[in-house]
Amino acid sequence: MIPIARPQMGPEEKELVWSALEAGALAQGARVHELEERFAEFIGVPHAVATSSGTTALHLALLAYGVGEGDEVVTVPFTFIASANSILYTGARPVFVDVEADTFNIDASLVEAAITPRTKAIMPVSLYGQPADLPAISEIAERHGLAIVEDACQSHGAAIGDRRSGTWGAGTFSFYPTKNMTTGEGGMITTADAEVADRARLLREHGMKVRYHHDVTGYNFRMSDIHASIGLAQLPKLPSNNARRREIAARYDAELRGVITPTVRPGVTHVYHQYTIRVNRRDDFVERLRERGVGSGVYYPIPVHRQTPFVALGYGDLRFPVTDLLTEQVMSIPVHPALTDGDVSTVVAVVNETAAELGPLAAEAAVRA
Ligand SMILES: Cc1ncc(COP(=O)(O)O)c(C=O)c1O
């Protein structure tokens, strides 16, 4: 089976983790600090704050902007549930807007209508490795005095022109094992705003600047030096791994037939955390690929507003036509850098054979939204 993801651990990871263990560097310390500095430099911002996960990075970034009870944050329902959950954790309410059918990202033209006097922030999600339309979002945010917390959990190294994901407002990254780089579990906030970074650090450490003097109610959202050691070995490999993902994606773009391949906006560097296609009879498609030895994933089969906790909060009857359509049609095929050229040829052959059997996505179904 060609798997949908395969985290790669080499001698560099082993060596760094082992040396951290030998040095007794177990909790947050010098390795975390070093990863923060290197990641900030890579993204192109002055500040980075490491966290225990992408979810805690999102939560902390919102808190750092002062988002809380009674506030609203505009985001999308077509994402991993952590984006919206992080808003709930602060006591604020997510306000969902639909996504674009071709990029899968927030439809910036819908954002303004969702803004109310209670709106505090916009959370665009740079899904699958393509940055959301951050210039447009940032123009709206500036006009309304709103914060931007970009969910960049899938877009390490992605860029619009020469500006990377994570440089608008606060960027939040996940280092979960399947991501383009990993620390095991872990996350990072990136920002140019020193106050936001300071506030995030304070809240990450139980509100403590001076040992056992607590200024505010905070959390333990720290990363450990053991995890940071994995990240320090992974980060230098991120550019070449992203390049390999892009090379594989270019082959899929050129060679796949009978499916809708992803659209990349001009001037955008997509880093293909996932290569996501839209297909006819998606669940049958997934099953046939599995029978033929090709792993795949459906991200995401149920939109956030129709997940049980959000239905309980009254979101269940909302309608987001593009999101609803995509949740029926999307599937992601292997694009990770461990694939050989032969694996890629196998995936192309199997996808094309399956698409020919199941029929192309009807033009009407593709644009139903
Ligand atoms: C879009 C998105 N947001 C948030 C997260 C949460 O990250 P983590 O799993 O590290 O908490 C993830 C990763 O799973 C994600 O893909």
Side-chain angles (χ1 to χ4, degrees):
M1 177 72 88
I2 300 175
I4 181 69
R6 187 189 291 143
Q8 286 174 289
M9 291 293 125
E12 302 85 356
E13 283 81 356
K14 280 188 197 152
E15 209 272 304
L16 276 167
V17 169
W18 187 240
S19 66
L21 294 178
E22 277 190 327
L26 306 183
Q28 180 181 288
R31 294 281 173 95
V32 169
H33 188 67
E34 191 181 342
L35 182 62
E36 288 177 336
E37 292 208 325
R38 295 217 190 150
F39 197 75
E41 191 185 342
F42 171 75
I43 295 297
V45 288
H47 312 285
V49 180
T51 60
S52 50
S53 70
T55 306
T56 53
L58 282 160
H59 185 179
L60 212 48
L62 291 168
L63 292 174
Y65 276 112
V67 173
E69 206 72 49
D71 295 332
E72 292 176 355
V73 178
V74 178
T75 192
V76 289
F78 190 62
T79 180
F80 182 54
I81 198 164
S83 320
N85 274 352
S86 70
I87 299 167
L88 292 182
Y89 301 153
T90 69
R93 211 179 138 263
V95 173
F96 296 114
V97 298
D98 213 347
V99 296
E100 302 171 328
D102 56 352
T103 66
F104 311 114
N105 279 332
I106 191 165
D107 185 338
S109 72
L110 302 176
V111 170
E112 206 132 24
I115 294 172
T116 75
R118 291 179 295 281
T119 310
K120 199 77 179 244
I122 307 173
M123 181 189 287
V125 180
S126 295
L127 201 69
Y128 303 145
Q130 170 156 225
D133 190 350
L134 293 158
I137 298 292
S138 128
E139 197 264 311
I140 297 167
E142 253 172 52
R143 194 144 24 87
H144 293 268
L146 306 175
I148 296 180
V149 173
E150 181 198 0
D151 182 336
C153 285
Q154 301 188 359
S155 61
H156 318 63
I160 301 177
D162 56 8
R163 189 166 172 187
R164 289 216 155 113
S165 227
T167 62
W168 282 266
T172 55
F173 293 85
S174 164
F175 299 134
Y176 186 75
T178 55
K179 298 296 195 273
N180 293 28
M181 71 165 273
T182 183
T183 60
E185 294 275 8
M188 192 75 81
I189 301 170
T190 55
T191 185
D193 187 327
E195 263 179 51
V196 166
D198 278 354
R199 183 93 187 145
R201 282 182 208 287
L202 182 72
L203 291 166
R204 177 183 64 177
E205 318 268 357
H206 280 299
M208 178 170 81
K209 266 190 201 139
V210 178
R211 207 157 176 73
Y212 303 128
H213 292 250
H214 304 275
D215 305 332
V216 290
T217 306
Y219 303 83
N220 173 3
F221 285 164
R222 294 184 301 263
M223 180 187 278
S224 81
D225 268 14
I226 303 170
H227 293 88
S229 299
I230 303 174
L232 284 168
Q234 290 263 307
L235 183 56
K237 303 181 208 174
L238 179 61
S240 59
N241 281 338
N242 280 348
R244 176 65 181 150
R245 286 175 185 268
R246 288 166 53 74
E247 190 176 74
I248 296 167
R251 274 198 63 191
Y252 289 155
D253 288 345
E255 297 176 34
L256 293 181
R257 301 282 175 267
V259 301
I260 299 178
T261 55
T263 299
V264 183
R265 286 275 181 264
V268 162
T269 304
H270 193 318
V271 293
Y272 295 100
H273 170 57
Q274 301 293 348
Y275 188 94
T276 301
I277 55 179
R278 295 168 61 195
V279 301
N280 191 25
R281 293 175 54 189
R282 194 263 322 278
D283 294 345
D284 295 335
F285 212 114
V286 166
E287 185 51 26
R288 287 196 198 192
L289 254 57
R290 195 190 60 76
E291 286 164 9
R292 291 163 178 165
V294 173
S296 63
V298 174
Y299 315 107
Y300 298 88
I302 304 174
V304 174
H305 69 289
R306 287 204 268 107
Q307 299 284 354
T308 306
F310 285 85
V311 172
L313 289 170
Y315 288 91
D317 291 332
L318 296 176
R319 285 288 162 264
F320 300 102
V322 179
T323 292
D324 285 336
L325 187 69
L326 293 177
T327 51
E328 288 168 20
Q329 295 178 344
V330 292
M331 61 182 289
S332 304
I333 56 176
V335 71
H336 55 82
L339 296 175
T340 63
D341 289 345
D343 290 334
V344 177
S345 299
T346 303
V347 174
V348 168
V350 166
V351 169
N352 287 351
E353 182 188 352
T354 307
E357 282 168 9
L358 296 179
L361 195 60
E364 185 267 330
V367 296
R368 178 151 50 92

